[in-house]
Amino acid sequence: LASRKGVGKTACLVHIGTDQLFREKHVIHVSFSSRVDHIVSWYEDIFKEISKKRELEDALDIHNDIVKNRVIMNFNQDGISTDQILRSISAMITDGHFAADQILFDGFDFSQASAEDVAKIKTFAGEHKLEVWFSASLRGDEPCFDEKGYPNELKGFSESLDVVITLAYEGDHVKLRAVKDRTSEELHDMHLMLDPKTLLIARE
């Protein structure tokens, strides 16, 4: 998930993670922010909104069940290598007996990473049968995107990225567009929008 800072990438990651939690999957949310309290708040707010919309019975019991399947880890990317991060995650999975199904790398700075770093994460995911999502705040000069909508900052990592989705304000919503999937690098509209007020993803 790629965009300038503050457009809604973390909210989208929380949606992806919450969807897995509702499916009784286990999620590790890796944050590179200095604080993680806002991430917990997003999970809580999105769960409340979903509970209201679906009129969930026993919402508190459901909430308590899914929270047990979520771990939030925090790193400073400046002071740690990719190998160290992966060792910590591996220890959580093996020594911590947390059978993760998905890892969310929130706020991963691709400008500080190499193609080898991202390839290592992809290899790790394959070995542990994990689904991995990144959020990338684009920090480069304008234009951020090429003529096909692909983020210029991510071009050096293309071989390791199966799916690339961009976010941008369009009217009073945030529009999501897929600029790469597993079979194509053509820009196509996902017909998905993010409501910045509720943080909920809604179809057009």
Side-chain angles (χ1 to χ4, degrees), residues 14-195:
V14 171
H15 274 287
I16 292 169
T18 300
D19 178 71
Q20 291 298 295
L21 292 169
F22 270 109
R23 298 173 190 270
E24 300 183 353
K25 303 292 186 180
H26 293 71
V27 176
I28 297 177
H29 192 124
V30 179
S31 172
F32 295 96
S33 173
S34 58
R35 296 172 56 188
V36 298
D37 53 335
H38 67 289
I39 295 172
V40 175
S41 295
W42 267 321
Y43 274 103
E44 294 296 316
D45 291 344
I46 287 175
F47 179 84
K48 288 174 185 175
E49 290 292 337
I50 292 173
S51 298
K52 290 177 186 176
K53 290 210 167 190
R54 296 186 180 180
E55 298 181 347
L56 294 180
E57 296 182 10
D58 303 320
L60 181 59
D61 291 336
I62 294 171
H63 173 271
N64 292 337
D65 284 341
I66 68 174
V67 165
K68 290 185 290 187
N69 293 338
R70 185 195 73 209
V71 168
I72 297 176
M73 302 179 74
N74 186 229
F75 298 101
N76 182 343
Q77 199 172 339
D78 289 330
I80 193 169
S81 69
T82 298
D83 289 331
Q84 290 172 306
I85 293 170
L86 293 179
R87 281 197 294 270
S88 295
I89 295 172
S90 181
M92 174 61 68
I93 293 171
T94 55
D95 301 338
H97 306 290
F98 188 81
D101 299 289
Q102 182 184 74
I103 300 178
L104 308 174
F105 286 95
D106 188 9
F108 187 82
D109 188 349
F110 280 83
S111 69
Q112 293 188 33
S114 67
E116 182 183 4
D117 289 326
V118 179
K120 285 179 180 179
I121 294 172
K122 185 170 186 176
T123 298
F124 179 87
E127 291 172 348
H128 291 272
K129 297 182 172 60
L130 297 164
E131 176 183 284
V132 172
W133 284 90
F134 294 91
S135 71
S137 289
L138 304 177
R139 294 172 169 82
D141 296 331
E142 294 290 350
C144 288
F145 309 99
D146 67 13
E147 65 280 359
K148 293 185 177 180
Y150 196 93
N152 291 318
E153 198 170 316
L154 300 184
K155 286 186 175 180
F157 306 92
S158 185
E159 288 188 11
S160 294
L161 302 177
D162 295 324
V163 176
V164 178
I165 297 170
T166 61
L167 292 80
Y169 278 104
E170 189 171 294
D172 59 353
H173 284 79
V174 174
K175 192 80 172 181
L176 281 71
R177 289 188 174 89
V179 296
K180 180 182 179 181
D181 61 28
R182 289 177 176 82
T183 59
S184 171
E185 293 194 10
E186 295 299 320
L187 175 69
H188 63 271
D189 197 330
M190 298 177 65
H191 301 289
L192 286 172
M193 298 182 297
L194 178 69
D195 185 334

